[in-house]
Amino acid sequence: ETIYCEFEKEINLTKAEEVLNNMESVVYLKEDIITPLELDKANDSYVCRLRYGVDKHSLNFWNVGDNIRIGAAVNAVRILKKMQDAK
């Protein structure tokens, strides 16, 4: 997917990269790109081509993931684990 996000405040691109690098289950690729054919049963979401959108209040990026694994199976397990840890 190509994702476009708008924000109320100006975005610091370096800070956005830092946030992506520290997110659980997200692999941020600053210099590379990835396609769905290259995922090979990955349980992570890959973000690449991060850049400003129309201005410094917006971002554009590619988000690539295996929708079956992340959207259904893996995501359900992650939610259950978080709920269990919260008890």
Side-chain angles (χ1 to χ4, degrees), residues 6 13 17 19 26-27 30 33-35 46 63 67 79:
E6 290 185 350
L13 206 52
E17 290 174 345
V19 169
V26 173
V27 177
K30 182 174 182 166
I33 62 170
I34 191 166
T35 67
Y46 289 78
N63 182 28
N67 290 341
I79 291 169

Side-chain angles (χ1 to χ4, degrees), residues 6-38:
E6 290 185 350
F7 302 91
E8 200 170 290
K9 297 180 181 180
E10 273 194 16
I11 302 300
N12 178 314
L13 206 52
T14 303
K15 180 67 174 170
E17 290 174 345
E18 182 182 315
V19 169
L20 287 168
N21 276 321
N22 291 311
M23 289 186 73
E24 180 182 344
S25 304
V26 173
V27 177
Y28 172 60
L29 304 170
K30 182 174 182 166
E31 301 296 328
D32 296 323
I33 62 170
I34 191 166
T35 67
L37 293 175
E38 299 168 295

Side-chain angles (χ1 to χ4, degrees), residues 40-44 65-76 78:
D40 193 34
K41 300 180 183 176
N43 289 331
D44 294 322
D66 185 326
N67 290 341
I68 300 297
R69 295 179 69 88
I70 296 172
V74 173
N75 199 41
R78 287 179 182 153

